[in-house]
Amino acid sequence: MSNGDIFLGEVIGTAILILFGAGVVAAVLLNYSKAKDSGWIVIAFGWGFGVMAGAYTAAPLSGGQLNPAVTIGIAIDTGNWDKVHIYIAGQMVGAMLGAVLCWLVYFAQFQANADKEIAQPTLGIFSTAPAIRNTVANLITEIIATIALVLPILAFGLTKGLGVSGTAILIVSFLVVGIGLSLGGPTGYAINPARDLGPRIVHAVLPIPNKGTSDWGYAWIPVVGPLIGGALSGVIFNAAF
């Protein structure tokens, strides 16, 4: 794969991932959305379908990693770091693009946030926040949840038929749903630095009425935690398999 293909594939795939993921959260949270209050299960499946759509789209170009934690885990496993920066750059650009697309889809609902009687913070649509703020606990949650994503992804590669048939992407999509349902309660399961940081930057700059804070004091946890989790996954995989 050429550098250009990798970058383009990761931009497109990650944009689709965030469009679906941020989109389902917007659908559930925003006033005047037809899906308002439809719940956590809907959010978990929306993110899973976003992974499926983004990864299948990007796969022919870049392999569809869509996540710096996955990229780091693969690099530690293979020892090949040459293209890591290209993958991560594409993922960051794609995450920001996907966040902008979500804003455009729900533009009318975001504008309705100007009404002080229904105004609500909007960061939760773009990025994660903990249910209980505890730095150590939140960081540990993100590390463990990311290991629960990246280690199985590395292990799936041992079954060659999954990659050839394309079934591996489908399985990873359901894995993301499972992580959301089982491990997402404490922090909102970022498990992807680009997924959290890119949309958080977009939230900070978009002209959303009454949008509230972008919570930069917490922003390092959903970046550092998944990176540690991805790195540990690579180390564990090399040691165990």
Side-chain angles (χ1 to χ4, degrees), residues 112-128:
N113 213 44
D115 185 343
K116 292 184 178 180
E117 293 184 3
I118 64 167
Q120 59 190 141
T122 57
L123 179 61
I125 294 168
F126 294 88
S127 296
T128 61

Side-chain angles (χ1 to χ4, degrees), residues 197 200-201 204 213-220:
L197 180 59
R200 195 181 297 269
I201 293 170
T213 176
S214 297
D215 198 6
W216 290 107
Y218 178 77
W220 68 273

Side-chain angles (χ1 to χ4, degrees), residues 100-191:
V100 172
L101 293 174
C102 171
W103 172 64
L104 292 173
V105 170
Y106 285 92
F107 182 80
Q109 284 73 25
F110 280 115
Q111 290 304 106
N113 213 44
D115 185 343
K116 292 184 178 180
E117 293 184 3
I118 64 167
Q120 59 190 141
T122 57
L123 179 61
I125 294 168
F126 294 88
S127 296
T128 61
I132 299 174
R133 287 183 181 269
N134 181 309
T135 299
V136 174
N138 299 155
L139 185 63
I140 289 173
T141 296
E142 284 295 327
I143 292 171
I144 293 173
T146 306
I147 292 172
L149 171 69
V150 179
L151 186 58
I153 288 175
L154 295 175
F156 294 158
L158 296 176
T159 305
K160 295 182 179 180
L162 291 179
V164 173
S165 66
T167 309
I169 291 175
L170 180 61
I171 295 174
V172 171
S173 302
F174 280 107
L175 174 62
V176 171
V177 174
I179 291 170
L181 295 177
S182 300
L183 307 177
T187 61
Y189 71 115
I191 61 175

